[in-house]
Amino acid sequence: MNFELSEEQQLLRDTVRDFALTRVAPVAAELDREARFPYDLVAEMAGLGLMGIPIPEEYGGAGADTVSYAIAVEELTRIDSSVAITMAAHTSLGTMPIYLFGSEAQKQEWLPRLASGEALAAFGLTEPDAGSDAGATRTRAELRDGQWIVNGSKMFITNAGTDITACVTITARTADDEISNIVVPNGTSGYEIAAPMHKLGWRASDTRELAFRDCAVPEGNLLGERGRGYHQFLEILDGGRISVAAMGVGLAQGAYDLAFAYAQERQQFGKPISKFQAVQFQLADMATEIEAGRALVHRAAWLKDEGKPFALAAAQAKLYTGLLSNRAANAALQIHGGYGFMDEFAISRLYRDQKILEIGEGTNEVQRMVIAKLLGL
Ligand SMILES: Cc1cc2nc3c(=O)[nH]c(=O)nc-3n(C[C@H](O)[C@H](O)[C@H](O)COP(=O)(O)OP(=O)(O)OC[C@H]3O[C@@H](n4cnc5c(N)ncnc54)[C@H](O)[C@@H]3O)c2cc1C
């Protein structure tokens, strides 16, 4: 067993770490405060080849493995979750369905722009009345004169409404007992994107409610086989869980970094609070759990790269790191005392950004349902 990262993986980690520290950290608080989408940073990430890490080079991506992708997501989240989810949702949810299930013509049409980061894509699964029970989708698509006529709505869709978003892949009922995936280009008549939603965290990321009213898209925009949409989105979510799990490790690591530094600066009772065993124990627990979480994430990513079953490992990594990041953000803010409750201290942003990691891409409860099923229960 070799736990060492390859040279390429180390190089990528160092590149992303440097980018996050020098380019993202100085503006993260401002972007969060103004709930402003980070267009400039997305362009810089595109320049660094970070917007299509696991997509093959022939389609404009970096052609790297899933472990590399997870490392990059972790490093971004360590500094800022809004930037991280913009990159991760674009890759795992926006681009992956087209790469995995698209025809060669569809891949040629979409992937070069998406994988290079010139344009963004979104994945619309969740609906107002179909969240955890995502198979209960009500959006319908009816084939009429060579076009899919889509009617319905989607909720909480990341990256759907930016100025550079090219398309959303949606799940829709193409018959009563049949779900399919369809690519809807932005700008299609009848596709309405609501204003950005106001959020507790991930405030600089783009989250929208979508409506489809007799929205006509070409028949050829169906992704893969008709009626395979349910299986396709389950596969997409399995992979997406690795990136959200990597966000959990990154957020916990970021919270730890802030608490570690603060504990050495802050003096009470005549010494740095890091000298109190109660504070040391919190940091020791955090550091230990972060290593455990990272190992789960890397293992899930490695299994995927090896072409082995990874759904169980991905759900376990997602569940564990969701809970880990919750404990870490809470303990790190506690170590900051009252200052941690103030906007000026980055830990308050990380604390707000944490909660969604236990909800998005399947709640903690859904992860436990997936894990129990895969354990044979
Ligand atoms: C910021 C943000 C970005 C998002 N981005 C996207 C995106 O890009 N694309 C997309 O498709 N979706 C996206 N989502 C949606 C997200 O995946 C859902 O919010 C999530 O799956 C939960 O669905 P829900 O919110 O409807 O909660 P519900 O399903 O209504 O769950 C409510 C509560 O009930 C519990 N529950 C539900 N069923 C069970 C059960 N059987 N057993 C036990 N407990 C249960 C849940 O665990 C939860 O605690 C995003 C959400 C947010 C907040």
Side-chain angles (χ1 to χ4, degrees):
M1 212 179 291
N2 181 1
F3 284 97
E4 216 150 37
L5 300 180
S6 70
E7 261 178 50
E8 291 84 4
Q9 290 163 345
Q10 289 180 42
L11 184 67
L12 180 74
R13 182 195 59 196
D14 295 346
T15 303
V16 182
R17 190 172 287 176
D18 180 63
F19 168 74
L21 278 172
T22 60
R23 307 297 302 157
V24 182
V27 294
E30 185 184 319
L31 291 170
D32 173 75
R33 191 168 53 247
E34 297 175 6
R36 181 152 50 83
F37 187 78
Y39 286 104
D40 294 347
L41 295 175
V42 170
E44 286 188 50
M45 287 196 286
L48 291 170
L50 303 181
M51 297 305 284
I53 291 175
I55 304 296
E57 286 172 80
E58 58 178 303
Y59 296 118
D65 56 15
T66 314
V67 174
S68 303
Y69 172 54
I71 290 168
V73 172
E74 177 190 333
E75 290 298 330
L76 290 175
T77 316
R78 192 171 172 179
I79 299 298
D80 184 56
S81 290
S82 289
V83 171
I85 188 57
T86 299
M87 177 274 236
H90 165 69
T91 307
S92 290
L93 300 179
T95 311
M96 262 307 163
I98 298 173
Y99 172 60
L100 288 178
F101 312 120
S103 64
E104 192 51 40
Q106 287 169 328
K107 290 183 195 181
Q108 294 296 348
E109 180 183 355
W110 295 107
L111 292 182
R113 277 198 299 153
L114 299 181
S116 64
E118 184 191 323
L120 293 177
F123 185 56
L125 172 67
T126 306
E127 298 186 0
D129 295 312
S132 300
D133 187 10
T137 182
R138 287 187 189 169
T139 297
R140 300 194 77 89
E142 197 186 324
L143 198 53
R144 253 188 260 158
D145 303 328
Q147 291 186 313
W148 292 106
I149 309 299
V150 183
N151 280 288
S153 59
K154 296 287 171 184
M155 187 56 113
F156 308 139
I157 307 307
T158 305
N159 285 339
T162 77
D163 296 349
I164 55 170
T165 301
C167 62
V168 61
T169 298
I170 57 162
T171 50
R173 218 163 264 289
T174 40
D176 285 346
D177 55 355
E178 182 183 282
I179 294 175
S180 305
N181 277 312
I182 298 174
V183 181
V184 182
N186 280 41
T188 306
S189 166
Y191 172 24
E192 294 160 23
I193 303 170
M197 302 183 88
H198 300 285
K199 309 189 287 289
L200 172 72
W202 287 8
R203 285 172 50 81
S205 77
D206 183 78
T207 314
R208 308 279 183 148
E209 184 171 0
L210 315 177
F212 303 91
R213 295 193 175 88
D214 288 329
C215 168
V217 293
E219 184 176 359
N221 283 23
L222 186 87
L223 217 48
E225 213 179 301
R226 179 173 173 167
R228 292 290 299 165
Y230 186 77
H231 297 276
Q232 290 173 348
F233 83 66
L234 289 183
E235 197 176 327
I236 291 300
L237 293 182
D238 283 341
R241 276 174 197 143
I242 296 176
S243 58
V244 180
M247 289 190 73
V249 178
L251 192 127
Q253 181 70 54
Y256 170 88
D257 295 342
L258 295 171
F260 183 87
Y262 186 80
Q264 287 170 81
E265 283 161 23
R266 177 67 174 168
Q267 304 247 351
Q268 287 295 282
F269 299 97
K271 51 176 132 169
I273 60 170
S274 64
K275 295 296 170 207
F276 301 123
Q277 202 176 43
V279 173
Q280 290 176 357
F281 279 11
Q282 296 205 65
L283 289 165
D285 281 353
M286 264 190 248
T288 306
E289 291 184 24
I290 289 166
E291 289 301 340
R294 186 175 289 125
L296 283 177
V297 172
H298 287 191
R299 180 166 168 275
W302 176 82
L303 285 169
K304 185 168 190 288
D305 286 332
E306 293 293 307
K308 296 177 193 284
F310 67 94
L312 176 61
Q316 288 173 327
K318 161 79 167 70
L319 174 63
Y320 184 82
T321 57
L323 297 168
L324 151 69
S325 58
N326 185 309
R327 286 191 294 269
N330 193 33
L333 196 148
Q334 189 71 16
I335 289 171
H336 281 74
Y339 292 98
F341 200 64
M342 300 297 128
D343 286 346
E344 292 91 319
F345 283 75
I347 190 60
S348 68
R349 174 169 48 84
L350 269 70
Y351 187 85
R352 287 186 287 102
D353 282 339
Q354 185 280 325
K355 190 60 207 173
I356 181 63
L357 299 177
E358 299 179 82
I359 296 170
E361 300 245 356
T363 63
N364 288 349
E365 294 71 32
V366 165
Q367 302 312 315
R368 292 187 176 105
M369 284 159 57
V370 170
I371 293 165
K373 188 169 174 219
L374 291 169
L375 291 176
L377 293 164

